[in-house]
Amino acid sequence: MVRADPSPPMTAYLLKRLAIAFATLVLASMVVFAVLEILPGDPARLMLGMNASADQVELLRNQMGLNAPLAWRYLHWAGGLFSLDFGRSYTYSVPVIDLVRERLAVSLPLALVALALSTIIAIPVGLYSASRRGRAGDTVAMGAAQLGVAVPNFWFALMLIYVFAVWLRLVPAGGFPGWGAGAWPALKSLLLPAVALALPQAAILARVTRSALIEVLNEDYIRTARAKGLPYRAVLWRHALRNAMIPVLTILGLQFAFLLAGTIIIENVFYLPGLGRLVFQAITQRDLIVVESVVMLLVAAVIAVNLAVDLSYAVVDPRLRTRQ
Amino acid sequence: MTLHIDIPEETFVGILAKAFRNTAFVTGFVITVLILAMAVISYAWTPYDVTKLVIADKTQGPSLAHWFGTDHFGRDILSMVMVGARNSIAVALVAVGIGMGVGVPLGAFAAARGGLVDEALMRVNDLVFAFPALLSAIMITAIFGPGAVNAIIAIGIFNIPVFARVARAGALAVWPREFILAARAAGKSSAQISIEHVLPNIATLLVVQGTIQFALGILAEAGLSYLGLGAQPPMPSWGRMLFDAQTRMVVAPWMAIFPGMAIVVTVLGLNLLGDGIADILDPKSRRQR
């Protein structure tokens, strides 16, 4: 191995996390495959319709590889995932990867804008509340956060549509013109969905940021930093916020999964042709191969983000690099 | 002379007095009781019959006769919100029951045994957490068919790892304590110790997590019903009402406003209640989400 490695515990930690993430991914793929195996309804029959003869269905089943042994089909499918060959959609008759790529162009910007919005709102609110703990500003901010946590994002979306699309006519009520229609119209139609996704998440994140900061602000080194004459603002940003990042990052990682799942409902509210709407329609149309692929993609994304969060702890907090 | 220090035991009356001074607890408690009362009353009485369609009264705005207005079939929204509460509460409550009933024993067992059993259980937990809960709930309800029972199962399954995690973490903190050692010396088995000594000591944590999951269950149920995967018509449900309202936002915004408010108020009440209980019984506790 690398002999000049400055911090062997870090490498071991990294390898262990990677191994766990990979094992989780493999197990998850087995679960997804198994669950869809027991799904009632024959895809071949669904494609051909009720009038097709048993022979025709059998022929198509053979063509689709549905009659091969279970283990072989799993390996074939799982192997395909690694080379991004997801197979062909039963209902759309195009490679799944093309569908995914097309839909990701909607869902990924949506999730990223929502995540950015939520962070931009939550961190300052958390900082403000923590530094004015117990005073009127804190009470108002945390009251708003408490309310934000209780609001279902799809209802919030409906209210946003009513105010900004029906009433003020500032943005479209739904639909997506496609990126080909120009960046601004496309972004405009993603604006309300992103806000609807972001606000409830921001409420949770603000609460976590506040309580993490309050815990840190009670530490001795904060008093030391103040005692040596550093201005309060500098202490808050440089010392307190950095040390409070671990719980905040953990929640951000978890929220990524929430955001991905949230897009399923939100994309349905706004009629956005994204990944969430794709998977929802695929489930109701029994387009198994699409469901399997998209679910695996989302699960892989969640695992990857959580791994990244785990590893970022070490970057944020140097103490964790050596302590194993 | 021996030094004797009195540690004041918190009495029931003392806790009660503290509870009444806690704004979050009182507000949350009142809201939760009102919502529960509303659901119970709906069995005996609602302002109008929710199964009767009165087309002549369709999409009327809020008035003295119909406080929350009427829907596109002329049904009274207030009555529907009342009946819908039953469904939301029942689904979320049973889902919490499933999560606690399976998750807590698993977590306690992992903490008591440690080693490989513990490691294996936590890896399974990781696995479940890797699936976005709502996505899996949609898959489960789509596979087994839409309906309230399948919604309960779908939401309940994802409560299991949450309670397993909380119970395990709580139990791990209790096991090294002296009274556990004493119980061991008295010859009690791990299972006995878990039930008699560990469980009472982590009850607060579990109750607080229970209110959080209850609230999340209400939100999840609303989401599933909105997608048409929860309770089926004619049984009114808050999520379904919002779905019906969506295409009629221009002519009848009240159809969306009131069921949504019902969800917000219920979830808010439960969250405040959880915050309050955590505050009263253990000032140092932080809520986990």
Side-chain angles (χ1 to χ4, degrees):
Chain A
M1 292 288 291
V2 191
R3 207 182 301 160
D5 192 343
S7 53
M10 189 58 200
T11 316
Y13 175 73
L14 229 148
L15 286 175
K16 192 188 165 201
R17 293 305 315 170
L18 267 174
I20 290 177
F22 184 74
T24 312
L25 196 59
V26 171
L27 274 174
S29 72
M30 288 175 176
V31 172
V32 169
F33 191 78
V35 166
L36 290 165
E37 272 307 306
I38 58 168
L39 194 74
D42 181 350
R45 168 63 72 187
L46 275 166
M47 278 177 81
L48 292 171
M50 282 305 140
N51 296 326
S53 71
D55 287 345
Q56 284 173 306
V57 172
E58 199 48 37
L59 191 70
L60 187 65
R61 282 186 63 86
N62 271 325
Q63 277 174 5
M64 289 165 79
L66 288 173
N67 288 334
L70 189 72
W72 192 87
R73 272 185 294 137
Y74 168 73
L75 287 177
H76 182 75
W77 171 71
L81 289 181
F82 279 104
S83 50
L84 289 181
D85 170 20
F86 296 141
R88 287 177 82 85
S89 157
Y90 304 152
T91 47
Y92 296 90
S93 303
V94 290
V96 177
I97 184 68
D98 292 350
L99 275 178
V100 166
R101 202 176 283 140
E102 187 187 305
R103 301 304 183 100
L104 259 183
V106 178
S107 293
L108 199 62
L110 175 61
L112 289 178
V113 171
L115 197 66
L117 262 178
S118 140
T119 315
I120 290 169
I121 298 167
I123 305 274
V125 170
L127 270 168
Y128 172 85
S129 255
S131 61
R132 281 180 180 64
R133 189 179 356 157
R135 289 199 252 159
D138 175 31
T139 313
V140 171
M142 283 306 110
Q146 186 72 264
L147 198 65
V149 173
V151 173
N153 56 20
F154 60 96
W155 180 65
F156 186 53
L158 290 179
M159 296 295 110
L160 286 175
I161 291 177
Y162 186 61
V163 174
F164 292 99
V166 176
W167 206 29
L168 299 174
R169 296 179 182 281
L170 289 176
V171 280
F176 187 71
W179 292 103
W184 176 235
L187 268 179
K188 223 165 96 169
S189 58
L190 290 183
L191 209 60
L192 285 193
V195 173
L197 273 174
L199 233 66
Q201 303 293 313
I204 297 171
L205 196 60
R207 284 166 59 110
V208 173
T209 308
R210 175 184 178 270
S211 61
L213 273 169
I214 285 177
E215 211 142 283
V216 171
L217 285 172
N218 287 330
E219 299 279 350
D220 289 339
Y221 56 80
I222 296 293
R223 202 178 323 128
T224 311
R226 290 283 287 144
K228 76 177 185 188
L230 279 181
Y232 187 67
R233 206 168 278 269
V235 174
L236 203 60
W237 284 91
R238 266 193 58 80
H239 297 259
L241 188 59
R242 180 154 189 182
N243 279 290
M245 274 324 271
I246 290 213
V248 173
L249 277 172
T250 310
I251 297 297
L252 265 178
L254 287 175
Q255 289 200 331
F256 184 72
F258 273 112
L259 278 176
L260 282 178
T263 56
I264 300 175
I265 291 193
I266 289 295
E267 286 174 359
N268 267 296
V269 177
F270 288 95
Y271 302 105
L272 292 176
L275 215 53
R277 210 166 144 73
L278 174 70
V279 73
F280 181 63
Q281 285 169 340
I283 290 174
T284 48
Q285 291 165 343
R286 296 281 184 268
D287 198 344
L288 300 193
I289 203 103
V290 172
V291 179
E292 284 172 338
S293 312
V294 177
V295 169
M296 272 323 290
L297 211 68
L298 295 182
V299 169
V302 170
I303 292 174
V305 167
N306 285 334
L307 181 69
V309 166
D310 264 3
L311 299 181
S312 71
Y313 291 164
V315 177
V316 172
D317 191 341
R319 283 168 298 188
L320 292 180
R321 277 175 227 165
T322 43
R323 190 206 303 158
Q324 280 305 318
Chain B
M1 201 183 113
T2 54
L3 186 68
H4 184 79
I5 302 168
D6 257 331
I7 302 165
E9 264 282 298
E10 270 202 297
T11 60
F12 181 68
V13 180
I15 293 177
L16 222 60
K18 239 161 99 184
F20 276 110
R21 270 181 276 119
N22 189 302
T23 327
F25 177 82
V26 173
T27 319
F29 185 76
V30 169
I31 292 175
T32 307
V33 167
L34 283 178
I35 297 286
L36 286 176
M38 189 171 89
V40 172
I41 290 170
S42 79
Y43 280 100
W45 174 84
T46 50
Y48 293 85
D49 184 354
V50 292
T51 53
K52 217 156 99 195
L53 315 181
V54 189
I55 302 298
D57 288 345
K58 71 171 188 182
T59 52
Q60 285 184 2
S63 64
L64 276 179
H66 299 280
W67 288 9
F68 290 180
T70 62
D71 75 352
H72 53 298
F73 290 128
R75 290 176 295 183
D76 179 54
I77 305 247
L78 173 59
S79 307
M80 289 176 78
V81 166
M82 286 175 74
V83 177
R86 282 185 217 165
N87 179 61
S88 285
I89 291 169
V91 170
L93 206 59
V94 179
V96 169
I98 292 174
M100 272 201 186
V102 182
V104 172
L106 279 177
F109 180 66
R113 287 294 293 271
L116 263 181
V117 174
D118 188 24
E119 184 75 15
L121 204 89
M122 286 304 110
R123 290 290 82 82
V124 174
N125 250 355
D126 283 351
L127 180 65
V128 180
F129 276 118
F131 287 85
L134 185 70
L135 173 65
S136 316
I138 290 171
M139 276 178 66
I140 291 171
T141 41
I143 291 166
F144 298 105
V149 176
N150 290 336
I152 289 173
I153 296 168
I155 299 168
I157 286 177
F158 289 90
N159 278 337
I160 295 173
V162 175
F163 282 104
R165 204 136 90 158
V166 171
R168 175 182 173 270
L172 281 178
V174 175
W175 272 96
R177 306 260 294 265
E178 289 89 353
F179 59 84
I180 300 285
L181 199 66
R184 279 210 156 148
K188 287 188 182 173
S189 69
S190 300
Q192 255 181 318
I193 294 174
S194 287
I195 293 165
E196 291 170 19
H197 301 284
V198 176
L199 218 51
N201 277 290
I202 61 171
T204 315
L205 279 178
L206 296 177
V207 169
V208 171
Q209 196 64 43
T211 62
I212 295 171
Q213 296 311 120
F214 193 172
L216 288 176
I218 300 246
L219 286 173
E221 193 279 331
L224 286 179
S225 316
Y226 172 79
L227 291 174
L229 300 172
Q232 295 298 298
M235 177 77 181
S237 76
W238 294 343
R240 190 79 206 170
M241 290 171 78
L242 288 177
F243 174 78
D244 288 336
Q246 188 177 348
T247 48
R248 303 177 175 86
M249 284 300 285
V250 182
V251 285
W254 54 86
M255 276 178 67
I257 292 171
F258 293 105
M261 298 260 272
I263 299 171
V264 173
V265 169
T266 308
V267 174
L268 186 67
L270 286 167
N271 281 339
L272 286 173
L273 187 66
D275 274 3
I277 296 173
D279 256 7
I280 294 160
L281 296 178
D282 183 8
K284 276 182 299 184
S285 77
R286 290 268 177 276
R287 303 183 70 196
Q288 298 188 346
R289 238 177 217 283

Short mmCIF file of all heavy atoms in Angstrom, two decimals, chain A residues 4 15 33 46 147 162 282 321:
data_model
loop_
_atom_site.label_atom_id
_atom_site.label_comp_id
_atom_site.label_asym_id
_atom_site.label_seq_id
_atom_site.Cartn_x
_atom_site.Cartn_y
_atom_site.Cartn_z
N ALA A 4 3.93 6.20 2.40
CA ALA A 4 4.12 7.54 2.94
C ALA A 4 2.80 8.19 3.36
O ALA A 4 2.72 9.40 3.51
CB ALA A 4 4.83 8.41 1.91
N LEU A 15 -11.95 3.64 3.60
CA LEU A 15 -12.20 2.34 2.98
C LEU A 15 -13.40 1.66 3.61
O LEU A 15 -14.23 1.07 2.92
CB LEU A 15 -10.95 1.45 3.08
CG LEU A 15 -9.81 1.84 2.14
CD1 LEU A 15 -8.60 0.98 2.39
CD2 LEU A 15 -10.27 1.72 0.68
N PHE A 33 -35.10 -5.48 -6.78
CA PHE A 33 -35.38 -6.53 -7.76
C PHE A 33 -36.43 -7.51 -7.23
O PHE A 33 -37.37 -7.86 -7.92
CB PHE A 33 -34.08 -7.26 -8.10
CG PHE A 33 -34.20 -8.18 -9.26
CD1 PHE A 33 -34.20 -7.68 -10.55
CD2 PHE A 33 -34.33 -9.54 -9.08
CE1 PHE A 33 -34.31 -8.52 -11.64
CE2 PHE A 33 -34.46 -10.39 -10.16
CZ PHE A 33 -34.44 -9.88 -11.45
N LEU A 46 -49.45 -6.73 -20.42
CA LEU A 46 -49.84 -5.32 -20.36
C LEU A 46 -49.51 -4.62 -21.67
O LEU A 46 -50.27 -3.77 -22.15
CB LEU A 46 -49.12 -4.62 -19.21
CG LEU A 46 -49.80 -4.74 -17.85
CD1 LEU A 46 -48.85 -4.33 -16.74
CD2 LEU A 46 -51.05 -3.89 -17.81
N LEU A 147 -43.99 26.49 12.41
CA LEU A 147 -45.10 26.47 11.46
C LEU A 147 -44.64 25.84 10.14
O LEU A 147 -45.35 25.03 9.55
CB LEU A 147 -45.58 27.90 11.23
CG LEU A 147 -46.96 28.06 10.61
CD1 LEU A 147 -48.03 27.55 11.55
CD2 LEU A 147 -47.22 29.54 10.29
N TYR A 162 -51.96 29.59 -6.18
CA TYR A 162 -53.11 30.50 -6.08
C TYR A 162 -52.65 31.96 -6.05
O TYR A 162 -53.18 32.80 -6.77
CB TYR A 162 -53.93 30.18 -4.83
CG TYR A 162 -55.20 30.99 -4.77
CD1 TYR A 162 -56.17 30.87 -5.77
CD2 TYR A 162 -55.44 31.88 -3.73
CE1 TYR A 162 -57.32 31.62 -5.75
CE2 TYR A 162 -56.60 32.64 -3.69
CZ TYR A 162 -57.54 32.50 -4.71
OH TYR A 162 -58.69 33.24 -4.69
N ALA A 282 -44.66 5.35 -14.04
CA ALA A 282 -44.14 4.01 -14.35
C ALA A 282 -44.72 2.98 -13.38
O ALA A 282 -45.03 1.86 -13.76
CB ALA A 282 -42.62 4.01 -14.31
N ARG A 321 -10.04 13.28 11.99
CA ARG A 321 -9.14 12.58 11.06
C ARG A 321 -8.25 11.60 11.80
O ARG A 321 -7.85 10.59 11.27
CB ARG A 321 -8.27 13.59 10.33
CG ARG A 321 -8.98 14.18 9.15
CD ARG A 321 -8.17 15.25 8.50
NE ARG A 321 -9.00 16.41 8.26
CZ ARG A 321 -8.54 17.61 7.97
NH1 ARG A 321 -7.23 17.83 7.95
NH2 ARG A 321 -9.36 18.59 7.76
#
